[in-house]
Amino acid sequence: MKELKEKIFQAQSEGDIASLYVLESQAHETFDEDTLMAYYANILDLALERLTNALENLEKLDMTEVQDFATLRALYEYAIEHYSAGSATDASALFEVLGGISNDEAFSAAMKVHRAGCDSRISFDDFIDEYVDMAATQNGGKFYISFFKKEIE
C-alpha cells in the first residue's frame, strides 16, 4: 500500500491525471470507500484546474493528448454524476463546456445530445433507455456515451 500511495502522491504533485487513472484499479483493490472518494476528488480537482487554465488561455483540449484526454474523461464523469443524481441544470452546463472546450468533433457532437437530454428534462435513466445505443457505445471503446438510437428533438 505504501508504494501505491507514493505513486499516487507523485502523480498528484505532477498534475498527472492520466497516471491516476492508470492506478485506479489498484486504488479500488486497496482503499476503503472514503479514501476512494478522496482519490476521485483529487482527480476532479486536477481536471478543474486544467479546464480553468484552458479557458483562461482560450485553448481547446486535444483528445489525442493524454492529459487532455484524461481531463475530459474526469469532467465527463463529473457531468454524468450530476445528470444521474437529477441535477440536470448543472449537468447541462458541464456538457456545454465540455462540448466547447474539446477539439474532437465526435465528442462535441455527443455532448450536444447529452445537453439536449438535460435541457429536455429527460431523466438520466430514460435518456439511457430511450436514446442511447448501449451495445454500440460499450463496443465503441470510448469513455463517453457516443452512440444514440435517435436524436433528441
Side-chain angles (χ1 to χ4, degrees):
M1 180 176 342
K2 183 180 178 188
E3 183 179 326
L4 176 59
K5 285 183 177 182
E6 288 173 3
K7 288 179 183 177
I8 290 170
F9 179 75
Q10 182 70 30
Q12 287 172 339
S13 65
E14 294 173 359
D16 188 349
I17 300 168
S19 289
L20 291 170
Y21 273 119
V22 169
L23 298 168
E24 182 178 26
S25 64
Q26 285 181 275
H28 272 274
E29 294 170 5
T30 307
F31 299 140
D32 62 27
E33 191 67 28
D34 290 339
T35 306
L36 278 175
M37 294 302 290
Y39 180 81
Y40 285 112
N42 284 327
I43 290 174
L44 180 59
D45 287 345
L46 291 171
L48 289 169
E49 184 179 324
R50 287 182 57 82
L51 173 65
T52 300
N53 290 339
L55 290 170
E56 287 174 353
N57 295 317
L58 303 173
E59 298 172 347
K60 295 246 182 197
L61 296 179
D62 183 350
M63 191 73 85
T64 63
E65 200 273 290
V66 69
Q67 291 303 323
D68 288 355
F69 178 92
T71 298
L72 290 168
R73 175 183 168 184
L75 295 170
Y76 175 77
E77 290 170 355
Y78 185 55
I80 289 293
E81 282 180 36
H82 279 290
Y83 194 11
S84 64
S87 299
T89 303
D90 292 339
S92 176
L94 288 165
F95 290 132
E96 180 179 15
V97 170
L98 286 170
I101 197 77
S102 172
N103 72 343
D104 186 275
E105 290 181 27
F107 180 76
S108 294
M111 295 307 99
K112 287 179 184 176
V113 177
H114 286 67
R115 183 174 177 222
C118 292
D119 292 347
S120 299
R121 299 291 183 224
I122 298 167
S123 74
F124 181 69
D125 290 338
D126 288 345
F127 176 75
I128 296 294
D129 291 342
E130 295 177 31
Y131 296 96
V132 175
D133 182 340
M134 283 307 291
T137 293
Q138 289 172 338
N139 292 325
K142 299 184 179 186
F143 66 83
Y144 60 95
I145 296 169
S146 54
F147 293 95
F148 303 94
K149 296 176 191 173
K150 56 185 174 181
E151 290 290 321
I152 296 175
E153 301 299 322

mmCIF file of all heavy atoms in Angstrom, residues 82-99:
data_model
loop_
_atom_site.group_PDB
_atom_site.id
_atom_site.type_symbol
_atom_site.label_atom_id
_atom_site.label_comp_id
_atom_site.label_asym_id
_atom_site.label_seq_id
_atom_site.Cartn_x
_atom_site.Cartn_y
_atom_site.Cartn_z
ATOM 1 N N HIS A 82 -23.722 14.324 -12.034
ATOM 2 C CA HIS A 82 -24.766 15.336 -11.839
ATOM 3 C C HIS A 82 -26.060 14.916 -12.517
ATOM 4 O O HIS A 82 -27.138 15.014 -11.923
ATOM 5 C CB HIS A 82 -24.316 16.700 -12.376
ATOM 6 C CG HIS A 82 -23.428 17.446 -11.445
ATOM 7 N ND1 HIS A 82 -23.871 17.993 -10.269
ATOM 8 C CD2 HIS A 82 -22.113 17.733 -11.512
ATOM 9 C CE1 HIS A 82 -22.869 18.592 -9.650
ATOM 10 N NE2 HIS A 82 -21.786 18.444 -10.388
ATOM 11 N N TYR A 83 -25.943 14.458 -13.760
ATOM 12 C CA TYR A 83 -27.137 14.075 -14.516
ATOM 13 C C TYR A 83 -27.852 12.909 -13.836
ATOM 14 O O TYR A 83 -29.068 12.952 -13.624
ATOM 15 C CB TYR A 83 -26.744 13.734 -15.951
ATOM 16 C CG TYR A 83 -27.895 13.631 -16.929
ATOM 17 C CD1 TYR A 83 -29.191 14.036 -16.618
ATOM 18 C CD2 TYR A 83 -27.675 13.131 -18.213
ATOM 19 C CE1 TYR A 83 -30.228 13.943 -17.539
ATOM 20 C CE2 TYR A 83 -28.700 13.038 -19.145
ATOM 21 C CZ TYR A 83 -29.970 13.441 -18.794
ATOM 22 O OH TYR A 83 -30.992 13.335 -19.718
ATOM 23 N N SER A 84 -27.108 11.892 -13.464
ATOM 24 C CA SER A 84 -27.733 10.714 -12.850
ATOM 25 C C SER A 84 -28.298 11.015 -11.464
ATOM 26 O O SER A 84 -29.221 10.339 -11.005
ATOM 27 C CB SER A 84 -26.757 9.532 -12.798
ATOM 28 O OG SER A 84 -25.668 9.824 -11.964
ATOM 29 N N ALA A 85 -27.784 12.062 -10.808
ATOM 30 C CA ALA A 85 -28.293 12.450 -9.490
ATOM 31 C C ALA A 85 -29.493 13.396 -9.600
ATOM 32 O O ALA A 85 -30.027 13.839 -8.587
ATOM 33 C CB ALA A 85 -27.187 13.116 -8.680
ATOM 34 N N GLY A 86 -29.891 13.721 -10.832
ATOM 35 C CA GLY A 86 -31.050 14.583 -11.022
ATOM 36 C C GLY A 86 -30.743 16.060 -11.132
ATOM 37 O O GLY A 86 -31.657 16.881 -11.169
ATOM 38 N N SER A 87 -29.471 16.421 -11.191
ATOM 39 C CA SER A 87 -29.078 17.830 -11.330
ATOM 40 C C SER A 87 -28.874 18.168 -12.802
ATOM 41 O O SER A 87 -27.763 18.431 -13.258
ATOM 42 C CB SER A 87 -27.791 18.096 -10.546
ATOM 43 O OG SER A 87 -27.974 17.837 -9.186
ATOM 44 N N ALA A 88 -29.989 18.152 -13.538
ATOM 45 C CA ALA A 88 -29.923 18.330 -14.992
ATOM 46 C C ALA A 88 -29.362 19.688 -15.387
ATOM 47 O O ALA A 88 -28.623 19.794 -16.380
ATOM 48 C CB ALA A 88 -31.300 18.111 -15.613
ATOM 49 N N THR A 89 -29.668 20.732 -14.648
ATOM 50 C CA THR A 89 -29.184 22.067 -14.989
ATOM 51 C C THR A 89 -27.660 22.132 -14.891
ATOM 52 O O THR A 89 -26.985 22.641 -15.795
ATOM 53 C CB THR A 89 -29.831 23.128 -14.080
ATOM 54 O OG1 THR A 89 -31.255 23.034 -14.204
ATOM 55 C CG2 THR A 89 -29.377 24.524 -14.448
ATOM 56 N N ASP A 90 -27.123 21.601 -13.793
ATOM 57 C CA ASP A 90 -25.661 21.582 -13.625
ATOM 58 C C ASP A 90 -25.006 20.703 -14.688
ATOM 59 O O ASP A 90 -23.975 21.078 -15.263
ATOM 60 C CB ASP A 90 -25.284 21.068 -12.238
ATOM 61 C CG ASP A 90 -25.691 22.023 -11.133
ATOM 62 O OD1 ASP A 90 -25.891 23.222 -11.404
ATOM 63 O OD2 ASP A 90 -25.803 21.562 -9.972
ATOM 64 N N ALA A 91 -25.604 19.541 -14.944
ATOM 65 C CA ALA A 91 -25.057 18.631 -15.948
ATOM 66 C C ALA A 91 -25.068 19.287 -17.327
ATOM 67 O O ALA A 91 -24.091 19.194 -18.070
ATOM 68 C CB ALA A 91 -25.843 17.326 -15.965
ATOM 69 N N SER A 92 -26.161 19.967 -17.659
ATOM 70 C CA SER A 92 -26.267 20.634 -18.950
ATOM 71 C C SER A 92 -25.144 21.648 -19.132
ATOM 72 O O SER A 92 -24.514 21.712 -20.200
ATOM 73 C CB SER A 92 -27.623 21.331 -19.073
ATOM 74 O OG SER A 92 -27.700 22.057 -20.278
ATOM 75 N N ALA A 93 -24.889 22.438 -18.099
ATOM 76 C CA ALA A 93 -23.819 23.429 -18.174
ATOM 77 C C ALA A 93 -22.459 22.762 -18.378
ATOM 78 O O ALA A 93 -21.642 23.220 -19.185
ATOM 79 C CB ALA A 93 -23.809 24.291 -16.911
ATOM 80 N N LEU A 94 -22.231 21.678 -17.675
ATOM 81 C CA LEU A 94 -20.963 20.954 -17.834
ATOM 82 C C LEU A 94 -20.832 20.357 -19.236
ATOM 83 O O LEU A 94 -19.767 20.439 -19.851
ATOM 84 C CB LEU A 94 -20.853 19.851 -16.771
ATOM 85 C CG LEU A 94 -20.595 20.334 -15.355
ATOM 86 C CD1 LEU A 94 -20.878 19.223 -14.344
ATOM 87 C CD2 LEU A 94 -19.163 20.823 -15.213
ATOM 88 N N PHE A 95 -21.920 19.774 -19.752
ATOM 89 C CA PHE A 95 -21.868 19.214 -21.108
ATOM 90 C C PHE A 95 -21.616 20.308 -22.146
ATOM 91 O O PHE A 95 -20.894 20.093 -23.118
ATOM 92 C CB PHE A 95 -23.152 18.455 -21.440
ATOM 93 C CG PHE A 95 -23.323 17.167 -20.673
ATOM 94 C CD1 PHE A 95 -24.517 16.874 -20.044
ATOM 95 C CD2 PHE A 95 -22.294 16.243 -20.578
ATOM 96 C CE1 PHE A 95 -24.692 15.688 -19.333
ATOM 97 C CE2 PHE A 95 -22.438 15.048 -19.867
ATOM 98 C CZ PHE A 95 -23.648 14.771 -19.249
ATOM 99 N N GLU A 96 -22.182 21.496 -21.914
ATOM 100 C CA GLU A 96 -21.949 22.609 -22.832
ATOM 101 C C GLU A 96 -20.470 23.002 -22.830
ATOM 102 O O GLU A 96 -19.866 23.192 -23.897
ATOM 103 C CB GLU A 96 -22.806 23.809 -22.441
ATOM 104 C CG GLU A 96 -22.617 24.997 -23.365
ATOM 105 C CD GLU A 96 -23.488 26.186 -23.007
ATOM 106 O OE1 GLU A 96 -24.043 26.238 -21.895
ATOM 107 O OE2 GLU A 96 -23.593 27.075 -23.862
ATOM 108 N N VAL A 97 -19.892 23.117 -21.659
ATOM 109 C CA VAL A 97 -18.472 23.466 -21.556
ATOM 110 C C VAL A 97 -17.607 22.381 -22.202
ATOM 111 O O VAL A 97 -16.689 22.682 -22.971
ATOM 112 C CB VAL A 97 -18.059 23.692 -20.082
ATOM 113 C CG1 VAL A 97 -16.546 23.810 -19.943
ATOM 114 C CG2 VAL A 97 -18.741 24.931 -19.530
ATOM 115 N N LEU A 98 -17.914 21.131 -21.909
ATOM 116 C CA LEU A 98 -17.130 20.030 -22.478
ATOM 117 C C LEU A 98 -17.183 20.033 -24.000
ATOM 118 O O LEU A 98 -16.163 19.831 -24.663
ATOM 119 C CB LEU A 98 -17.629 18.689 -21.934
ATOM 120 C CG LEU A 98 -17.254 18.381 -20.498
ATOM 121 C CD1 LEU A 98 -18.002 17.153 -19.992
ATOM 122 C CD2 LEU A 98 -15.758 18.189 -20.367
ATOM 123 N N GLY A 99 -18.383 20.242 -24.543
ATOM 124 C CA GLY A 99 -18.517 20.265 -25.994
ATOM 125 C C GLY A 99 -17.753 21.406 -26.632
ATOM 126 O O GLY A 99 -17.215 21.270 -27.730
#
